[in-house]
């Protein structure tokens, strides 16, 4: 009797295990199928967008009037943005594809800048038409190669999951139709980049990414990086330390340091090799209930910056999320707020400890600027505002506009109806550079049935 019961229990266990394994297998397959479908959709959408981009650039070559050319170039800009989005959804993070993305970025910048200017007064130059023709030819090469890859993908029923596996395991150099095809696309884009390096009409439209090349100081050692990490993170007695260096492909050299005191406090920090400037850090400890005010936390953040040699900074934004205070400090030069130079800090409201720090924008943008005098007065600038806006504050500021250029502006904060807005007007001619709607207080839904 007992033997029969044991056999029954074992049988049920085996059946249950088999069923569980089957369910796990099915769920895994469902996830893989979903990922594969997303990759396939992004790839075919990218191919379609490159087709559309090539045709749209072609149509602009036959246009000249602002009435038709400006909307067409705006469409080119929109299509390049969509294409870049599709590239970002493909498993290409381990495959060099930056030249193709740069190619799309340059087309987008060229088309946007041209679309927003007055083409009746300032029509396309011969050099710009030549650049458009080059873009048209190059987009055709990239489009054709993508179409070839698409044909082989459909004909041979190729899977993007195999691409992801090949890249993850370092086997991308083996025969893989998709990877080989995208390497050819990248080579075409690189050829375009080299061909246009000396083309002044394109160089003017290319936005160079800011970097840390201007930083001063000697190169620091790993031990010095650890010392800086423990200082910034507030963990003087670290029991476990791990340090890694940036790879060869990194645009700048840095150390990544992880420290742990063995009692629940740990932190991660990146420090530049040149000069030993902290790029960012975060403390991983748990945050308790709030015990200090947001204002007291702001004072703590200001003291931290001053103690670490950050001068000429003003608090431009503060926000509270549960037991955390988030603060943004921005450089102030001669009464002008320099928004491209900003540092963000996160302060724990249980004890006022600095648990987060991000200085990427500050390190990239920090420099002495020659700030021109405004071309229009404050009173004139107010005349460019919506008449329904009630101005509450104003100041001078430098911002990055939609094209990434620094622009001196009049900054206005005002209200209209029940909403608040921040508006930046070009200080030379009153052009509306940027409009931001400020967040209203979040409603409380606890009592809503």
């Amino acid at each position: 009797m007992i033997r029969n019961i044991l056999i029954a229990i074992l049988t049920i266990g085996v059946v249950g295990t088999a069923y569980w394994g089957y369910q796990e297998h099915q769920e895994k397959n469902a996830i893989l199928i979903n990922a594969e479908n997303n990759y396939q959709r992004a790839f075919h959408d990218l191919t379609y967008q490159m087709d559309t981009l090539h045709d749209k650039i072609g149509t602009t070559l036959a246009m000249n009037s602002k009435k038709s050319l400006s909307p067409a170039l705006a469409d080119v800009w929109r299509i390049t943005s969509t294409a870049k989005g599709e590239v970002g959804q493909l498993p290409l993070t381990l495959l060099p594809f930056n030249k193709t993305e740069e190619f799309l970025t340059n087309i987008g910048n060229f088309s946007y800048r041209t679309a927003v200017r007055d083409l009746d007064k300032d029509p396309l130059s011969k050099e710009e038409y030549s650049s458009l023709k080059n873009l048209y030819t190059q987009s055709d090469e990239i489009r054709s190669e993508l179409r070839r890859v698409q044909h082989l993908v459909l004909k041979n029923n190729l899977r993007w999951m195999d691409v992801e596996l090949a890249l993850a395991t370092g086997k991308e150099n083996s025969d893989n139709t998709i990877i080989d095809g995208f390497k050819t696309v990248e080579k075409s884009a690189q050829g375009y980049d080299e061909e246009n390096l000396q083309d002044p009409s394109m160089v003017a439209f290319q936005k160079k990414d800011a970097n840390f090349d201007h930083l001063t100081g000697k190169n620091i050692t790993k031990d010095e990086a650890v010392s800086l990490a423990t200082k910034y993170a507030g963990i003087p007695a670290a029991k476990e330390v791990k340090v890694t260096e940036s790879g060869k492909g990194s645009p700048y050299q840095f150390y990544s340091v992880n420290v742990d005191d063995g009692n629940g406090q740990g932190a991660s920090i990146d420090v530049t090799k040149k000069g030993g400037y902290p790029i960012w850090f975060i403390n991983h400890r748990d945050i308790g209930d709030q015990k200090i005010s947001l204002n007291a936390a702001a004072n703590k953040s200001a003291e931290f910056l001053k103690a670490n040699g950050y001068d000429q900074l003003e608090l431009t934004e503060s926000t509270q999320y549960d037991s955390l205070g988030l603060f943004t400090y921005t450089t102030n030069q001669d009464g002008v707020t320099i928004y491209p130079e900003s540092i963000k800090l996160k302060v724990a409201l249980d004890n006022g400890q600095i648990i987060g720090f991000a200085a990427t924008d500050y390190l990239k943008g920090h420099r002495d600027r020659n700030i021109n005098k405004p071309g229009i007065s404050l009173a004139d600038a107010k005349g460019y505002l919506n008449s329904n806006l009630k101005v509450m504050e104003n100041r001078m500021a430098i911002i990055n506009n939609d094209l990434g250029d620094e622009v001196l502006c009049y900054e206005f904060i005002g209200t209209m109806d029940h909403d608040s807005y921040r508006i930046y007007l070009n200080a030379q001619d009153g052009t509306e550079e940027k409009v931001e709607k400020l967040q209203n207080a979040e409603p409380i839904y606890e009592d809503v049935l």
Side-chain angles (χ1 to χ4, degrees):
M1 182 68 178
I2 295 175
R3 180 172 175 273
N4 291 337
I5 293 174
L6 289 175
I7 291 173
I9 292 173
L10 288 173
T11 302
I12 293 171
V14 170
V15 171
T17 302
Y19 179 74
W20 175 80
Y22 173 77
Q23 287 288 97
E24 287 285 300
H25 179 72
Q26 290 293 95
E27 290 177 8
K28 181 181 178 181
N29 279 346
I31 293 172
L32 292 175
I33 290 171
N34 183 60
E36 179 65 28
N37 289 342
N38 284 333
Y39 290 151
Q40 291 285 356
R41 178 201 54 75
F43 170 64
H44 293 298
D45 282 353
L46 172 62
T47 306
Y48 169 76
Q49 294 298 340
M50 288 306 299
D51 264 347
T52 307
L53 177 63
H54 175 255
D55 292 342
K56 184 61 70 173
I57 294 174
T59 60
T60 62
L61 292 173
M63 298 176 181
N64 190 40
S65 70
K66 178 183 178 182
K67 183 178 180 181
S68 53
L69 186 54
S70 290
L73 286 170
D75 265 350
V76 170
W77 174 66
R78 176 185 57 80
I79 294 166
T80 56
S81 297
T82 304
K84 285 175 63 180
E86 302 299 351
V87 170
Q89 295 182 54
L90 293 173
L92 301 174
T93 53
L94 300 177
L95 178 69
F97 209 58
N98 56 304
K99 290 299 180 184
T100 302
E101 292 183 283
E102 185 178 335
F103 171 76
L104 292 170
T105 298
N106 289 338
I107 295 177
N109 287 342
F110 179 93
S111 56
Y112 183 86
R113 285 176 180 259
T114 309
V116 298
R117 86 182 192 218
D118 191 340
L119 293 173
D120 289 334
K121 296 181 179 178
D122 186 13
L124 288 180
S125 66
K126 290 182 179 179
E127 291 79 10
E128 288 170 334
Y129 265 114
S130 176
S131 295
L132 266 179
K133 288 180 180 178
N134 288 337
L135 293 173
Y136 182 64
T137 301
Q138 205 69 27
S139 64
D140 186 39
E141 292 179 20
I142 293 175
R143 175 188 71 93
S144 297
E145 183 58 32
L146 284 173
R147 279 296 183 194
R148 188 188 71 82
V149 176
Q150 184 183 51
H151 168 72
L152 293 173
V153 167
L154 295 173
K155 178 183 176 181
N156 301 319
N157 196 27
L158 301 177
R159 299 193 320 155
W160 275 92
M161 294 302 295
D162 295 334
V163 174
E164 186 172 43
L165 180 62
L167 292 172
T169 56
K171 296 179 179 179
E172 67 271 20
N173 292 325
S174 59
D175 184 24
N176 186 298
T177 301
I178 296 178
I179 293 177
D180 292 344
F182 271 79
K183 284 182 177 179
T184 303
V185 171
E186 180 72 354
K187 194 172 294 183
S188 296
Q190 184 174 2
Y192 158 80
D193 185 60
E194 293 168 353
E195 178 183 318
N196 286 275
L197 279 177
Q198 304 304 320
D199 186 345
S201 65
M202 278 307 297
V203 171
F205 288 105
Q206 291 178 0
K207 175 189 171 185
K208 300 286 186 184
D209 287 335
N211 213 316
F212 298 159
D213 296 338
H214 61 284
L215 297 181
T216 59
K218 66 179 183 66
N219 286 348
I220 64 170
T221 64
K222 284 187 177 181
D223 289 340
E224 289 172 322
V226 171
S227 178
L228 283 167
T230 55
K231 171 189 172 185
Y232 270 79
I235 304 178
K239 291 186 177 180
E240 184 178 348
V241 178
K242 294 180 180 179
V243 184
T244 56
E245 297 185 43
S246 54
K248 292 182 180 179
S250 174
Y252 54 89
Q253 299 300 303
F254 62 93
Y255 294 108
S256 286
V257 185
N258 288 281
V259 295
D260 194 325
D261 71 350
N263 296 313
Q265 282 220 56
S268 302
I269 182 170
D270 279 1
V271 183
T272 64
K273 282 188 179 181
K274 187 174 183 180
Y277 298 95
I279 303 169
W280 64 269
F281 83 80
I282 185 168
N283 189 304
H284 305 298
R285 76 171 178 86
D286 294 329
I287 311 300
D289 295 333
Q290 179 176 352
K291 293 182 180 178
I292 67 171
S293 67
L294 189 66
N295 184 63
N299 292 335
K300 292 280 187 182
S301 63
E303 292 169 4
F304 175 87
L305 291 173
K306 186 175 181 180
N308 287 285
Y310 295 97
D311 300 319
Q312 292 184 304
L313 293 172
E314 63 176 351
L315 179 63
T316 52
E317 188 174 354
S318 63
T319 312
Q320 180 174 344
Y321 295 98
D322 295 327
S323 297
L324 290 173
L326 280 77
F327 305 95
T328 300
Y329 284 83
T330 308
T331 296
N332 187 298
Q333 180 182 328
D334 301 325
V336 179
T337 302
I338 315 293
Y339 280 107
E341 293 185 27
S342 63
I343 295 177
K344 297 183 185 296
L345 295 99
K346 186 185 294 184
V347 181
L349 299 181
D350 56 357
N351 64 1
Q353 182 183 11
I354 309 298
I355 61 168
F357 173 90
T360 301
D361 291 340
Y362 181 85
L363 292 176
K364 288 182 177 181
H366 186 56
R367 66 180 188 275
D368 290 329
R369 290 171 172 80
N370 293 320
I371 301 176
N372 296 325
K373 292 184 178 180
I376 60 175
S377 67
L378 175 61
D380 290 336
K382 286 183 177 180
Y384 288 95
L385 294 170
N386 188 312
S387 58
N388 295 316
L389 184 78
K390 182 180 180 182
V391 176
M392 309 300 291
E393 299 177 31
N394 69 82
R395 61 182 165 190
M396 299 299 299
I398 288 178
I399 66 167
N400 285 327
N401 63 12
D402 291 338
L403 297 172
D405 296 328
E406 289 192 0
V407 185
L408 178 65
C409 293
Y410 286 103
E411 176 186 353
F412 296 97
I413 296 178
T415 60
M416 189 165 60
D417 296 329
H418 301 293
D419 295 314
S420 299
Y421 298 87
R422 181 183 281 117
I423 300 172
Y424 299 95
L425 299 183
N426 191 302
Q428 301 305 320
D429 57 17
T431 301
E432 202 170 65
E433 294 287 350
K434 190 178 292 187
V435 177
E436 299 173 355
K437 181 180 177 299
L438 303 181
Q439 293 296 320
N440 295 326
E442 286 288 336
I444 298 174
Y445 296 102
E446 292 180 356
D447 299 327
V448 177
L449 295 178

